[in-house]
Amino acid sequence: MSNLLFVIFAVELVAHIINALGAARINNLLWILINYLPISTSKAAAQQRTLQAEYLRARRDLNATSSQDEFAKWAKLRRQHDKLLEQLDAAKKGLEASKSKFDNSLTVVRLLLTKGPQYFLPFWYGKEAMFWLPYGWFPYYAEWIISFPSAPMGSVSAPSWQLACSGFITLVSELIVFVGGVVFRGAETDETKGKPQSAGSKMAVPAAQTTTEGDKEKKEL
């Protein structure tokens, strides 16, 4: 059962990473990476980048041309600008349709790799013992809960092991985030302390002190 223990832990870890990063962010990253491969969508993305560069160049030239002084040149640039804009819109719509199909396919794969095993493994191996607890270390009710729903008494069931893995991964991730936040805030504090004080801030204190001393002298007089 050692392999099954590792598989359940790996499934929970992958599911937690996906939830932490966000499915949409992972989809966008994979979409960017897959467009560097020699496939049809990568060619379409390259064509879109080319059209976008040509469109920006045409718009820049159009804005730099006067419609009154150079009407013929301006009209030619205008037609070129409108044509590139139509082509760019069509290319964007095609890529958006391809990305939508890619996102749907990736969602199905993600569900099969995470949600499917998360429900299937505890159900299929619910009657088998993942490992046995030391004899006499736990009371009867604790052994019954740990072996729930139908594993042998005194053993750890697959659902209990899955719950333990999920809790451990969540605890470790929260600890990492907390330690990272403390270290980051400490680094920001050190940088703030290390910055030299400006001359204006240094002169502000003596000026305030001078004003206060002057007020005191007026009161004494």
Side-chain angles (χ1 to χ4, degrees), residues 150-171:
S150 54
M153 187 67 66
S155 66
V156 177
S157 64
S160 297
W161 172 247
Q162 183 185 43
L163 184 62
C165 292
S166 177
F168 174 77
I169 292 170
T170 302
L171 181 63

Side-chain angles (χ1 to χ4, degrees), residues 31-32 34-37 39-52 88 91-92 94-95 98:
W31 174 254
I32 293 173
I34 202 173
N35 281 329
Y36 286 99
L37 300 176
I39 57 177
S40 58
T41 55
S42 64
K43 295 179 180 179
Q47 291 177 357
Q48 181 190 2
R49 289 192 294 268
T50 303
L51 284 173
Q52 188 171 9
L88 185 60
K92 285 183 178 180
L95 277 179
S98 300

Side-chain angles (χ1 to χ4, degrees), residues 11-12 15-16 19 113-123 162:
V11 169
E12 292 299 319
H16 182 80
N19 292 332
L113 294 178
T114 56
K115 295 298 182 182
Q118 280 182 318
Y119 290 104
F120 173 76
L121 292 176
F123 170 77
Q162 183 185 43

Side-chain angles (χ1 to χ4, degrees), residues 62 65 67 70-80:
L62 181 64
T65 304
S67 59
E70 302 174 285
F71 179 78
K73 182 180 179 181
W74 179 88
K76 180 180 179 182
L77 289 174
R78 183 68 184 183
R79 289 192 297 269
Q80 183 182 3

Side-chain angles (χ1 to χ4, degrees), residues 12-212:
E12 292 299 319
L13 180 61
V14 171
H16 182 80
I17 292 174
I18 292 175
N19 292 332
L21 296 178
R25 184 179 299 177
I26 295 175
N27 289 356
N28 293 334
L29 178 61
L30 292 177
W31 174 254
I32 293 173
L33 294 177
I34 202 173
N35 281 329
Y36 286 99
L37 300 176
I39 57 177
S40 58
T41 55
S42 64
K43 295 179 180 179
Q47 291 177 357
Q48 181 190 2
R49 289 192 294 268
T50 303
L51 284 173
Q52 188 171 9
E54 293 178 357
Y55 167 75
L56 292 175
R57 184 169 57 252
R59 188 176 66 176
R60 185 176 61 251
D61 295 340
L62 181 64
N63 293 333
T65 304
S66 174
S67 59
Q68 297 178 352
D69 300 336
E70 302 174 285
F71 179 78
K73 182 180 179 181
W74 179 88
K76 180 180 179 182
L77 289 174
R78 183 68 184 183
R79 289 192 297 269
Q80 183 182 3
H81 172 273
D82 295 343
K83 181 179 179 181
L84 289 172
L85 181 60
E86 292 178 0
Q87 294 177 353
L88 185 60
D89 290 339
K92 285 183 178 180
K93 290 180 181 179
L95 277 179
E96 287 176 357
S98 300
K99 188 176 184 302
S100 178
K101 294 179 181 178
F102 175 79
D103 290 341
N104 294 335
S105 302
L106 203 60
T107 300
V108 173
V109 173
R110 184 169 56 251
L111 291 176
L112 292 176
L113 294 178
T114 56
K115 295 298 182 182
Q118 280 182 318
Y119 290 104
F120 173 76
L121 292 176
F123 170 77
W124 189 258
Y125 295 98
K127 296 182 179 180
E128 300 185 18
M130 297 293 99
F131 57 90
W132 293 89
L133 299 172
Y135 180 76
W137 282 28
F138 299 91
Y140 174 81
Y141 67 88
E143 291 185 352
W144 182 83
I145 293 174
I146 295 174
S147 62
F148 184 84
S150 54
M153 187 67 66
S155 66
V156 177
S157 64
S160 297
W161 172 247
Q162 183 185 43
L163 184 62
C165 292
S166 177
F168 174 77
I169 292 170
T170 302
L171 181 63
V172 172
S173 64
E174 291 178 353
L175 180 62
I176 292 174
V177 171
F178 174 76
V179 173
V182 171
V183 172
F184 181 74
R185 287 194 296 269
E188 284 187 342
T189 304
D190 294 339
E191 289 180 359
T192 304
K193 290 181 179 179
K195 288 182 178 179
Q197 193 175 9
S198 61
S201 59
K202 290 182 179 179
M203 294 297 294
V205 175
Q209 292 179 354
T210 304
T211 305
T212 306

